[in-house]
Amino acid sequence: MLMETVVAKFGGSSLSDAGQFEKVKQIVLADPRRRFVVPSAPGKRFGSDTKVTDMLIAAHEAVSAGKDVTAYFEPIRARYLGIAQQLGLKTDIGRELDVIQYAIAHGQNVDYTASRGEYLNGLLLAEYLGFSFIDAAEVIFFDARGNYDAARTQEELSKRLAKAQRAVVPGFYGSCIDGSIKTFSRGGSDITGAIVARAASAAMYENWTDVSGFLMADPRIVDNPKPIESITYRELRELSYMGATVLHEEAIFPVKQAGIPVNIRNTNRPDDLGTRIVADAPLCPDDTITGVAGHKGYTAISIEKAMMNSEMGFGRRVLKVLEDYAVSFEHLPTGIDTMTVVVNDKLIAGKLDDVITSIYRVCSPDSVEVTTGLSLIATVGRGMVRQPGTAAHLFSALRDAGINVRMIDQGSSEMNIIVGVETHDFEKAIRAIYHAFVK
Ligand code: ASP
């Protein structure tokens, strides 16, 4: 029988120096199923350190500003030479660095430059693990419009992986039709890991980082929140306010399509089980919520008009105004004669007055009211579905904490309840909800 495959992606802090490389090697070699490894570029070794990717981008900016690249490239060179020397690696990394420095100095674009952090780390890691090296530029593709080309990538990459026993594929980048390098958005090695997992039909996508998975709430707000052992892809999307810092939002889609579970693990505490992200997870009756997370910085635009409910096309006209101003909406709570659109402050900044004027012009409402300084809090849990009393429990907790709820939105899946509170109540509300459900 064929052995199952596990794809292991290691983040920047997991590969920030020679000592971290040693930990990664131990982890990879401890399980022969870990056949494909996706590295990030070396990240921070300590709080005030600079990530290699940031140094590369700074080097590119320096060249664009007409400066000499040498001083910017030296610390990058030192990072890789240090790792190679300490681990006794033979790869001619000095030559690779020369080629890259020359290319940056002679106007290579920012994507090429930023991607070299992963490329170089991949070369070193492949030698150190005794794995083959597959350049992501040869197997991960973007189409003519610069969008990720899933079909072409899946075809080429799966063929290539089928021929490899064990390989390292650097994260974060691929190539365009003309052969030029393009990167995903920042943190995009997570996406590469998910793509490789899908192409390898992996049994598991392990994402190794510097935390032992997700916590049920932000530890800066709640003392010692419990870890989340398992969470469904859908719940994670609902909790995306908190998830994005641990796992890139777009990394879920390739593995979700293929039903491959993700395991967030901690390179510095490899015995911790971490969080598993799965398609379906059993409901545990005493664990009604999976997590609570929120975000500050929202504005609610409430539009009132008598008989709105029977006016054909009213909602469409309101949303068309937002679309015309390139503002996407976050939530849309409605009443019989009212409709509220909740938008992110960053998106509406500088446009609010124009949007309101247009709504008056296009929709002839009786009134439009704006509430600023809102925070949204999502309480999410597959255990909330068809559980009578969950909402009552949540709102009693907020009432007992003296918090005024400005907005309520429950998804029809019953898996999430989103409340809008005034920003000065944000932390208090999260603590109240957490403690109401987690004993
Ligand atoms: N090195 C890239 C970044 O810093 C990609 C990644 O680490 O996932 O954004």
Side-chain angles (χ1 to χ4, degrees), residues 54-242:
D54 290 325
M55 293 199 275
L56 284 162
I57 293 170
H60 181 267
E61 278 167 7
V63 173
S64 306
K67 295 187 196 152
D68 184 67
V69 77
T70 315
Y72 292 86
F73 205 74
E74 270 327 295
I76 300 170
R77 185 180 289 275
R79 292 283 296 264
Y80 289 104
L81 289 178
I83 294 171
Q85 271 155 16
Q86 281 181 48
L87 299 176
L89 301 177
K90 298 195 179 55
T91 304
D92 193 351
I93 207 74
R95 210 190 124 255
E96 294 281 349
L97 286 158
D98 291 344
V99 170
I100 293 167
Q101 180 172 348
Y102 183 87
I104 300 172
H106 290 81
Q108 260 286 5
N109 66 22
V110 66
D111 281 38
Y112 164 86
T113 307
S115 75
R116 295 304 88 183
E118 272 70 10
Y119 170 79
L120 291 167
N121 233 19
L123 284 178
L124 293 182
L125 187 62
E127 183 193 337
Y128 187 50
L129 295 174
F131 282 26
S132 50
F133 174 80
I134 299 178
D135 188 350
E138 295 168 12
V139 285
I140 296 202
F141 302 109
F142 293 87
D143 65 19
R145 280 191 283 158
N147 296 321
Y148 167 60
D149 186 339
R152 184 170 169 221
T153 300
Q154 170 71 14
E155 197 186 321
E156 293 292 325
L157 181 57
S158 56
K159 269 195 258 166
R160 198 59 190 273
L161 296 178
K163 283 190 231 141
Q165 262 315 308
R166 315 183 93 193
V168 170
V169 185
F172 193 37
Y173 69 94
S175 61
C176 301
I177 298 211
D178 63 1
S180 62
I181 299 287
K182 184 170 166 55
T183 61
F184 292 109
S185 56
R186 293 299 306 266
S189 297
D190 285 344
I191 307 175
T192 309
I195 291 169
V196 172
R198 177 162 179 232
S201 300
M204 174 71 77
Y205 169 31
E206 289 177 343
N207 191 291
W208 292 83
T209 174
D210 53 5
V211 291
S212 298
F214 297 112
L215 299 170
M216 291 184 73
D218 185 337
R220 289 166 300 185
I221 301 175
V222 172
D223 281 341
N224 260 324
K226 281 196 189 170
I228 299 178
E229 275 167 36
S230 60
I231 182 167
T232 63
Y233 304 121
R234 249 177 101 186
E235 287 174 302
L236 187 65
R237 285 293 301 146
E238 300 286 355
L239 280 174
S240 61
Y241 294 138
M242 88 177 172

Side-chain angles (χ1 to χ4, degrees), residues 1 117 133 227 308 358 368 399:
M1 203 179 78
F133 174 80
M308 173 193 291
S358 291
V368 177
R399 178 202 57 205

Side-chain angles (χ1 to χ4, degrees), residues 344-382:
N344 192 310
D345 285 349
K346 286 195 194 115
L347 295 180
I348 196 87
K351 302 177 182 170
L352 187 59
D353 290 343
D354 292 341
V355 166
I356 292 170
T357 310
S358 291
I359 291 176
Y360 270 112
R361 189 166 39 82
V362 180
C363 312
S364 315
D366 298 334
S367 68
V368 177
E369 202 184 301
V370 174
T371 311
T372 54
L374 275 184
S375 290
L376 297 181
I377 299 174
T379 305
V380 175
R382 55 191 184 275

